[in-house]
Amino acid sequence: MEEFHKVRRLPPYVFEQVNRLKAQARAAGADIIDLGMGNPDLPTNKFIVDKLVESVQRPDTHGYSSSKGIPGLRRAQAAYYERRFGVKLNPDTQIVATLGSKEGFANMAQAITAPGDVVLCPNPSYPIHAFGFLMVGGVIRSIPVEPDAEFFRALERAVAHSIPKPIAMILCYPSNPTATVVELDFYRDVVAFAKKHGIYVLSDLAYSEIYFDNNPPPSLLQVPGAMDVSVEFTSMSKTFSMAGWRMGFAVGNERLISALTRVKSYLDYGAFTPIQVAASAALNDPDADKHIDEVRQVYKRRRDVMVESFGRAGWDIPAPKASMFAWVPVPEKFRHLGSLEFSKLLIEKADVAVAPGIGFGEHGDDYVRIALVENEHRLRQAARSIKKFFGTADETLHNVVSLKSAG
């Protein structure tokens, strides 16, 4: 039977192939060290869990909640933005709570996109950045990730050669998957470009608090006038180790926030009220900075162990300045295979799972994404297994055929 129209518009979900192989290996008894999915393994702080338990005991919290977020939660997010970035937000008109940043992006796409609308999206990039717009009939035009002069030349070409003119551009810094970071001057140039061409900017700031060089990533909204054209998406998943709680926010331009709020009001009743209450407590916690720094230090130690141990195994890892990911070139010996086949080999031969770069866009195929979601002992174990695999690859891989050449 023919696929449904919207399903046909989606490219194959390449991560499913890796997940299937990983499940098969585990079913056969393999101890797979999973560095693929960015699923935090750190526990949510006990006081946040306690607040959830306290709130869930109250029967008045069990009904439908507020789709845009309870007032206390939106006020807490506004207070966080003022503390962290010096940005003042109106909790009633410039903030909406989302079920994680992923849902926020998908529903923003639904809110603002007409069939055929062009959106500028980094390549490689987190899949929902492109897929959310593809699912509602939008057209994606790729732009670079690196914040250099070529980035703005590519923007100018995209505007000049796109019919119709692009309606929005997507940014993600610190980048998922590449861990690229930017300075505020870059955002100033982005805002100037967006205003010149009448384009909205949708910024994914999910990794704002996971940084390693004492240089906190800025918010796009710190730029004067950015609120006229921009919305920023944040998440509590990584900052507070609350991934499964599905708590995020969209903040910024009132017209865009209003459109997102209206679409969401038809689709959901918001997160369970006790989750919103606990999230408010997390954001308002006077010791929040200390707790966040503890999480940050865990990821920094893991980053350092990964860079050192994988390097000794023969795989040089560029040390990320931020995020919980490393964006790593496929070793030269295996590059002809492509990132998907290399990722499969790591599972089969080294019991290590990573995310193939091709899953983030065609420009990612020479890379894999490695997530810092296992402890230091397991990272060293992964490095030993990879070293052993690399050492025997010439003898064991003579019959592996590249998908690229086979095509």
Side-chain angles (χ1 to χ4, degrees):
M1 294 178 65
E2 189 177 11
E3 284 280 17
F4 295 112
H5 170 70
K6 286 193 175 181
V7 176
R8 284 203 312 271
R9 286 183 60 81
L10 294 174
Y13 197 62
V14 300
F15 300 119
E16 184 54 38
Q17 297 185 47
V18 174
N19 292 340
R20 187 164 55 246
L21 195 61
K22 188 168 59 181
Q24 290 170 356
R26 282 178 168 155
D31 176 22
I32 300 297
I33 300 173
D34 192 353
L35 308 176
M37 187 175 179
N39 190 9
D41 63 316
L42 303 178
T44 306
N45 195 292
K46 185 177 182 300
F47 93 89
I48 302 173
V49 177
D50 290 344
K51 178 58 71 172
L52 172 72
V53 172
E54 173 192 316
S55 181
V56 84
Q57 305 287 348
R58 293 168 31 205
D60 63 317
T61 64
H62 293 187
Y64 292 127
S65 192
S66 168
S67 177
K68 70 182 295 185
I70 61 175
L73 178 60
R74 286 181 279 115
R75 288 195 297 269
Q77 176 69 349
Y80 161 74
Y81 253 79
E82 186 161 10
R83 284 195 313 271
R84 172 69 166 81
F85 303 113
V87 172
K88 292 184 181 295
L89 295 165
N90 184 328
D92 295 324
T93 61
Q94 294 178 317
I95 299 177
V96 59
T98 62
L99 305 178
S101 58
K102 190 173 185 179
E103 176 268 324
F105 254 97
N107 280 327
M108 180 63 82
Q110 185 151 252
I112 69 173
T113 312
D117 278 348
V118 176
V119 175
L120 309 180
C121 182
N123 188 337
S125 192
Y126 187 53
I128 195 61
H129 295 158
F131 292 1
F133 288 91
L134 290 172
M135 281 191 282
V136 294
V139 176
I140 295 297
R141 186 175 184 116
S142 294
I143 56 175
V145 176
E146 291 303 312
D148 52 21
E150 175 54 30
F151 178 91
F152 289 98
R153 286 194 290 269
L155 289 186
E156 293 287 359
R157 288 195 300 271
V159 169
H161 299 293
S162 295
I163 300 175
K165 183 192 76 174
I167 63 164
M169 81 170 84
I170 296 164
L171 301 178
C172 179
Y173 301 105
S175 169
N176 181 5
T178 71
T180 304
V181 295
V182 297
E183 301 294 336
L184 199 55
D185 281 346
F186 171 78
Y187 283 145
R188 289 192 181 96
D189 292 340
V190 165
V191 169
F193 180 90
K195 287 193 166 191
K196 174 183 175 183
H197 294 285
I199 296 173
Y200 286 117
V201 184
L202 308 177
S203 170
D204 186 343
L205 194 61
Y207 297 92
S208 61
E209 304 303 340
I210 310 299
Y211 57 90
F212 308 125
D213 57 0
N214 297 317
N215 186 20
S219 161
L220 172 70
L221 298 179
Q222 290 176 251
V223 175
M227 205 78 71
D228 298 336
V229 293
S230 308
V231 160
E232 200 154 62
F233 295 84
T234 57
S235 168
M236 301 186 73
S237 295
K238 309 325 190 276
T239 305
F240 293 94
S241 300
M242 294 172 64
W245 299 55
R246 308 314 302 133
M247 198 74 257
F249 301 91
V251 307
N253 178 268
E254 291 189 7
R255 183 177 182 225
L256 293 176
I257 294 297
S258 175
L260 175 58
T261 302
R262 185 168 183 186
V263 165
K264 280 177 59 62
S265 71
Y266 284 93
L267 299 176
D268 69 68
Y269 286 107
F272 186 36
T273 296
I275 290 178
Q276 298 194 48
V277 171
S280 304
L283 288 167
N284 289 329
D285 175 27
D287 292 325
D289 288 347
K290 183 185 81 169
H291 296 318
I292 293 169
D293 188 61
E294 290 169 355
V295 170
R296 189 182 298 129
Q297 293 308 315
V298 169
Y299 286 125
K300 184 177 188 299
R301 288 192 296 272
R302 291 179 179 182
R303 179 201 67 167
D304 294 344
V305 165
M306 179 186 64
V307 169
E308 185 269 334
S309 61
F310 280 46
R312 282 193 288 108
W315 194 4
D316 290 333
I317 307 291
K321 294 181 179 179
S323 85
M324 58 188 292
F325 306 114
W327 185 239
V328 185
V330 174
E332 186 66 38
K333 180 186 295 186
F334 306 97
R335 199 161 296 167
H336 67 285
L337 298 174
S339 60
L340 179 56
E341 291 305 306
F342 175 67
S343 299
K344 290 179 178 180
L345 281 175
L346 282 182
I347 295 174
E348 294 172 356
K349 307 295 185 181
D351 292 340
V352 174
V354 299
I358 189 67
F360 302 96
E362 65 271 24
H363 296 308
D365 200 22
D366 287 339
Y367 296 81
V368 294
R369 191 192 72 178
I370 302 178
L372 301 171
V373 292
E374 293 270 14
N375 63 40
E376 294 160 41
H377 168 74
R378 297 279 280 173
L379 288 169
R380 291 190 177 97
Q381 181 183 338
R384 289 193 294 271
S385 297
I386 289 169
K387 182 177 183 179
K388 184 177 179 181
F389 162 49
F390 285 177
T392 60
D394 288 339
E395 291 76 35
T396 59
L397 300 183
H398 60 277
N399 62 342
V400 174
V401 178
S402 165
L403 284 184
K404 292 179 179 178
S405 60

